């Protein structure tokens, strides 16, 4: 579960590539409200997506206008995940652990004692399917699909 992951051993997230810009905002939901005054504890993937270090100052806002999601496209970092026999069911189960997603974020999933990473490539809102930068996934019927894994992409050629 995500709660166990927040307090368990720390996982090393893959470094963001030079082509991947850091995000300046992400959306998520609270697990609990027991942190000391003026402190917020963020999941490791959020810290990395925002290029934060422990004790950095952040601006936390209540956003009530995040639309419910209808579809998400994820890019696995490794094609190993797609080789799992029931990868679509695993994906749908793991997505239930997130309250919301932000386009451009990298999120981890754990399955069979292995951690897999996914980039959020596209998000669509319900009911009209409009492209959105962030969407709720908790308590939503969201269709998830994959795009080609990072390790299967052709390297970009440098223009000289």
């Amino acid at each position: 579960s995500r709660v166990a992951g927040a307090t368990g051993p720390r996982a090393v997230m893959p470094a963001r590539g030079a082509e991947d810009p850091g995000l300046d905002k992400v959306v998520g939901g609270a697990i609990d409200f027991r942190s000391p005054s003026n402190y917020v504890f963020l999941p490791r993937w959020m810290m990395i997506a925002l290029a934060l270090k422990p004790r950095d100052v952040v601006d936390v806002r209540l956003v009530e206008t995040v639309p419910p999601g209808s579809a998400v496209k994820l890019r696995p970092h490794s094609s190993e995940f797609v080789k799992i026999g029931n990868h679509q069911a695993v994906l749908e189960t793991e997505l239930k652990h997130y309250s919301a997603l932000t386009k451009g974020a990298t999120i981890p999933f754990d399955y069979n004692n292995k951690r897999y990473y996914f980039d959020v490539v596209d998000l669509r809102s319900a009911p009209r399917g409009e492209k959105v930068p962030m969407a709720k996934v908790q308590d939503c019927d969201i269709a998830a699909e994959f795009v080609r894994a990072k390790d299967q992409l052709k390297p970009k050629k440098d223009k000289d």
Side-chain angles (χ1 to χ4, degrees):
S1 82
R2 295 296 136 226
V3 176
T7 58
R10 300 294 178 224
V12 177
M13 291 280 289
R16 295 191 72 85
E19 75 282 355
D20 294 331
L23 298 175
D24 62 357
K25 63 176 86 170
V26 294
V27 64
I31 293 176
D32 67 48
F33 297 92
R34 294 181 286 179
S35 63
S37 181
N38 292 324
Y39 280 83
V40 62
F41 295 102
L42 300 175
R44 185 90 180 130
W45 70 266
M46 269 191 195
M47 299 274 297
I48 290 170
L50 295 168
L52 295 173
K53 299 179 301 300
R55 298 185 185 230
D56 276 352
V57 176
V58 296
D59 182 18
V60 177
R61 298 180 188 176
L62 175 64
V63 179
E64 298 182 75
T65 58
V66 178
S70 65
V72 60
K73 285 185 184 176
L74 299 170
R75 180 180 311 282
H77 284 203
S78 169
S79 54
E80 282 182 39
F81 185 79
V82 184
K83 294 175 186 171
I84 296 172
N86 58 348
H87 65 271
Q88 191 70 31
V90 171
L91 171 68
E92 290 170 5
T93 300
E94 288 296 318
L95 274 177
K96 291 177 183 175
H97 296 295
Y98 290 89
S99 56
L101 295 174
T102 305
K103 182 179 177 182
T106 298
I107 58 173
F109 291 163
D110 294 324
Y111 180 73
N112 276 352
N113 297 320
K114 183 161 174 53
R115 181 158 279 186
Y116 298 93
Y117 297 96
F118 298 83
D119 295 335
V120 180
V121 176
D122 187 48
L123 285 167
R124 302 291 175 136
S125 68
R128 287 177 266 169
E130 300 150 326
K131 285 189 175 189
V132 291
M134 52 188 68
K136 289 188 278 191
V137 295
Q138 196 170 39
D139 301 325
C140 294
D141 186 20
I142 190 160
E145 66 178 90
F146 295 111
V147 295
R148 187 179 301 244
K150 268 190 170 181
D151 63 358
Q152 294 177 332
L153 294 175
K154 294 179 182 175
K156 293 181 181 177
K157 293 182 180 178
D158 291 334
K159 294 179 182 177
D160 291 332

